[in-house]
Amino acid sequence: MSWKIIERKRALLSGESGPAPGKGGGRLSCCIVYPNRYHSAMSNLGFQAVYAMLNALPGVTCDRAFLPEREELEELERTRETLLSLETERPLSSFDLIAFSISFESDYLNLPVVFRLSGIHPFAAERSPLQPLVMAGGAALFLNPEPVAPFLDLVCVGEAEPILPGLFELLQRGAESRRDLLLNASALPGVYVPSLYEPEYEGARQVALKVAPGAPERVRRLWDPDPDSRPTSTVLHTEATEFSGMHLVELSRGCPRACRFCAAGFIYLPYRTRSPELVRREVMKGVGEGRKVGLVAAAVSDYAGIGELCCDIVAAGGKFSVSSFRIDHLDGRMIEALKASGQKSVALAPEGGSQRLRDLVKKGIDEEQILAACDMLVSHDILNLKLYFIIGLPTETQEDLDELVALTGKIRERVLAAAKANRRLGEIQLSVNPFIPKPFTPFQWCAMEPVKSLEKKWKFLQKALGRLSNVKLQMESPREAYQQALLSRGDRRVADLLIAADRLRNWKEALRETDLDCDGYVHRDVPLDEMLPWDFIEGGDTGRLKREYLKAFGGEAVG
């Protein structure tokens, strides 16, 4: 039985589908769209949380839609049938509002596909008043919505909890015209209306931004001041996901560490944790349902009382897993509970292969702490370690790569010794990813290293480590990393490239067809006084970012 049939039966049996959207009581019909496959969407806590929030709003009925699986996508394109929503099987074009939930820049590529399959014009300026309003939110939009801004009527800049109630109340009231409605919406904190802003460009640079009368000069990013107002946990359980059978529970928002390359430490400020009482209630709900509990946070080990919580899960007969550890903050009770829960592998993130690079990114750990963390894990019979490293960080040299190889060798020795003592195999998996400059981080002004240079470094690591037993290497494609960097730092002109990529079904051909200076976005060190496409978003301490940038590079700009 397909996931679609299972989901529809579940919705009908539980009554969750409700009345047909748009009928009776003047309800506002909304379809939340995840521009990726179903299994990815239903593993995303943000998507699930927004779906639940919208259906809880008075006068609002929310359905779901996803990028079709490959076979279904090919069938829709062959027959030219329209993409339908899940619960009510309605065409997306028949809803009052389409709301995209976008966590990753790579999902920008799928927006033109969804528009094409739905019969909705991709550009907001070309859509008729009879077509749905199109809105988007999610972490990718917190950072830089400009590459997809021409597709969108509304953008939620910040967390959904403080934005959606007021916005949907305004949408339900309506206005004399769509422009009046959008102008009214722009007055709400956290709501960005791209049509009211007109950027001006010179080459790869943005040089000005014209703001329509009545619209705010800057859009304030909102965050939820009360993380205990409602839990963020799995709402709809389904088997066809990456976290099948698991009950996910969010422990905190953001990260207190503020590593200079990482957006999580800056766009979710201030760092907030949920109360032990709320977390325990949600965790035990999952245990009571016989599900494994997934504890979710930027750094689970930073959560106060994590060891006690994990022990309580095991004592209640449950099992759990964690999304991430901080190397310098491992809790012995949590490790014991992980072992009792049957977890055989753990992910650690040294990030920089050398101490110089770890200091550069402000990771706050040294080699002794890394090795001590590995010793603690293997001593508890957790012998499979996944290590995350970044290559191509600004100022990286061959000596830094040599230190990465040496550190991996030291960790391997510990794993092999423990595996031999326990008479079973252990494995180290290196996940090596190119540095990608992200908005609202101190490294947002830094260039990404050229693809050929990254490929050369990858070949060195393969030669140095690839033949070692019990060591496996994987790396994100440098060319895909280039694409992500372009979508991270691009402006509105990238939207035409996305349309071309869908039309041609080929990213490389689209790059050749466009006259966009893509390297100017990706491989250029940006001056600190240059206007950035996302500068209209108020919510990042630019002064702090610049100070951290200058501290990292000894008070001088790179490039």
Side-chain angles (χ1 to χ4, degrees):
M1 187 179 293
S2 75
W3 63 263
K4 281 189 173 182
I5 296 173
I6 293 171
E7 281 274 80
R8 287 183 187 130
K9 286 183 69 176
R10 178 203 56 73
L12 291 171
L13 289 172
S14 66
E16 288 182 18
S17 58
K23 293 184 178 180
R27 298 181 71 86
L28 180 70
S29 64
C30 172
C31 186
I32 180 172
V33 182
Y34 195 87
N36 209 315
R37 266 71 190 195
Y38 173 86
H39 67 275
S40 297
M42 297 311 295
S43 298
N44 186 291
L45 268 185
F47 176 82
Q48 291 222 15
V50 171
Y51 173 73
M53 283 183 61
L54 292 178
N55 272 315
L57 292 176
V60 176
T61 303
C62 184
D63 205 334
R64 291 174 289 161
F66 313 93
L67 188 73
E69 299 294 333
R70 296 191 186 280
E71 290 184 3
E72 183 186 3
L73 177 58
E74 292 173 359
E75 179 67 13
L76 285 176
E77 290 177 333
R78 186 183 64 80
T79 60
R80 298 194 176 186
E81 294 181 6
T82 189
L83 180 63
L84 303 178
S85 66
L86 175 63
E87 276 85 357
T88 54
E89 297 189 271
R90 289 177 54 182
L92 267 60
S93 59
S94 69
F95 285 86
D96 299 319
L97 177 73
I98 301 299
F100 286 100
S101 175
I102 308 174
S103 298
F104 308 104
E105 293 91 350
S106 57
D107 289 335
Y108 289 168
L109 289 162
N110 296 327
L111 264 63
V113 181
V114 173
F115 287 127
R116 175 167 51 80
L117 295 176
S118 306
I120 298 172
H121 201 289
F123 288 102
E126 302 298 325
R127 288 195 286 267
S128 78
L130 298 178
Q131 291 199 306
L133 280 170
V134 179
M135 182 175 83
L141 282 301
F142 295 13
L143 292 167
N144 179 19
E146 289 305 274
V148 292
F151 304 153
L152 306 173
D153 296 300
L154 299 159
V155 179
C156 293
V157 180
E159 297 172 4
E161 290 88 349
I163 297 176
L164 293 183
L167 174 59
F168 271 74
E169 183 180 340
L170 182 147
L171 294 176
Q172 287 174 281
R173 288 201 305 269
E176 290 296 321
S177 67
R178 178 169 290 204
R179 181 173 176 80
D180 288 344
L181 182 66
L182 294 177
L183 188 60
N184 293 341
S186 74
L188 297 175
V191 178
Y192 170 48
V193 179
S195 61
L196 302 180
Y197 300 79
E198 185 180 343
E200 297 177 11
Y201 306 108
E202 289 181 4
R205 299 169 59 243
Q206 180 172 315
V207 294
L209 183 66
K210 183 179 179 182
V211 181
E217 292 289 327
R218 302 185 73 197
V219 178
R220 182 156 60 96
R221 184 193 295 122
L222 289 191
W223 49 274
D224 186 4
D226 182 10
D228 276 0
S229 60
R230 61 181 299 146
T232 299
S233 57
T234 303
V235 178
L236 299 174
H237 293 96
T238 180
E239 297 302 312
T241 70
E242 180 182 351
F243 302 112
S244 173
M246 189 176 291
H247 186 69
L248 303 178
V249 180
E250 184 185 57
L251 304 181
S252 60
R253 292 269 174 96
C255 179
R257 306 288 182 145
C259 298
R260 290 176 175 136
F261 66 91
C262 180
F266 295 94
I267 64 170
Y268 290 104
L269 289 174
Y271 173 65
R272 290 145 289 148
T273 62
R274 299 186 187 276
S275 69
E277 295 77 19
L278 181 142
V279 168
R280 187 176 301 276
R281 185 171 68 246
E282 287 302 308
V283 162
M284 291 306 167
K285 182 190 297 183
V287 172
E289 294 173 352
R291 302 181 187 278
K292 189 174 185 178
V293 175
L295 301 176
V296 179
V300 170
S301 50
D302 281 342
Y303 185 76
I306 185 64
E308 181 181 356
L309 176 65
C310 294
C311 289
D312 288 349
I313 293 171
V314 174
K319 294 185 176 182
F320 72 98
S321 67
V322 298
S323 60
S324 62
F325 282 125
R326 273 291 303 193
I327 285 172
D328 61 343
H329 206 168
L330 292 185
D331 185 295
R333 297 186 69 190
M334 178 178 65
I335 301 301
E336 283 287 351
L338 272 175
K339 179 182 177 181
S341 194
Q343 184 146 335
K344 301 297 184 183
S345 63
V346 161
L348 302 172
E351 311 293 8
S354 69
Q355 190 58 49
R356 187 184 72 82
L357 289 182
R358 289 191 291 273
D359 292 341
L360 179 81
V361 302
K362 204 178 179 181
K363 188 67 181 177
I365 56 173
D366 57 29
E367 183 174 297
E368 183 178 343
Q369 290 171 306
I370 296 169
L371 296 177
C374 294
D375 286 337
M376 176 182 285
L377 291 167
V378 299
S379 69
H380 286 82
D381 201 28
I382 297 177
L383 303 181
N384 298 318
L385 303 180
K386 186 170 186 178
L387 305 175
Y388 288 95
F389 287 102
I390 300 174
I391 62 171
L393 284 165
T395 75
E396 184 178 66
T397 65
Q398 181 60 43
E399 287 72 22
D400 297 311
L401 295 177
D402 292 337
E403 287 195 45
L404 187 160
V405 171
L407 176 60
T408 303
K410 293 175 184 178
I411 296 172
R412 176 176 176 268
E413 289 174 3
R414 284 161 164 76
V415 170
L416 290 180
K420 184 177 180 181
N422 292 335
R423 295 185 178 181
R424 68 180 185 84
L425 294 176
E427 182 179 272
I428 296 174
Q429 183 174 329
L430 263 63
S431 178
V432 180
N433 300 293
F435 163 69
I436 297 171
K438 291 287 186 176
F440 291 103
T441 69
F443 283 4
Q444 66 180 348
W445 294 281
C446 298
M448 177 182 162
E449 189 165 325
V451 168
K452 289 185 178 179
S453 176
L454 290 168
E455 290 173 340
K456 183 178 178 181
K457 290 181 176 181
W458 174 239
K459 289 179 181 177
F460 165 78
L461 293 176
Q462 284 181 309
K463 185 176 180 180
L465 297 170
R467 297 177 183 176
L468 294 179
S469 62
N470 303 80
V471 175
K472 289 187 177 180
L473 283 82
Q474 66 177 40
M475 179 178 174
E476 179 184 3
S477 161
R479 297 187 186 279
E480 290 181 2
Y482 177 98
Q483 182 185 86
Q484 186 183 151
L486 173 60
L487 298 176
S488 294
R489 296 215 294 184
D491 54 43
R492 294 190 184 189
R493 293 171 293 180
V494 174
D496 289 325
L497 176 62
L498 295 174
I499 295 295
D502 176 50
R503 173 172 49 82
L504 298 169
R505 307 290 202 276
N506 189 296
W507 177 258
K508 288 184 179 180
E509 285 187 24
L511 286 174
R512 285 194 292 266
E513 181 180 274
T514 183
D515 59 357
L516 200 61
D517 178 16
C518 295
D519 285 354
Y521 296 105
V522 176
H523 295 318
R524 185 171 67 95
D525 288 308
V526 178
L528 294 183
D529 59 353
E530 181 175 313
M531 176 180 283
L532 299 170
W534 52 90
D535 273 347
F536 68 90
I537 297 176
E538 179 185 334
D541 185 342
T542 303
R544 179 191 178 193
L545 298 181
K546 288 182 178 180
R547 289 192 299 273
E548 287 294 328
Y549 173 94
L550 293 171
K551 285 180 185 178
F553 302 110
E556 297 183 5
V558 298

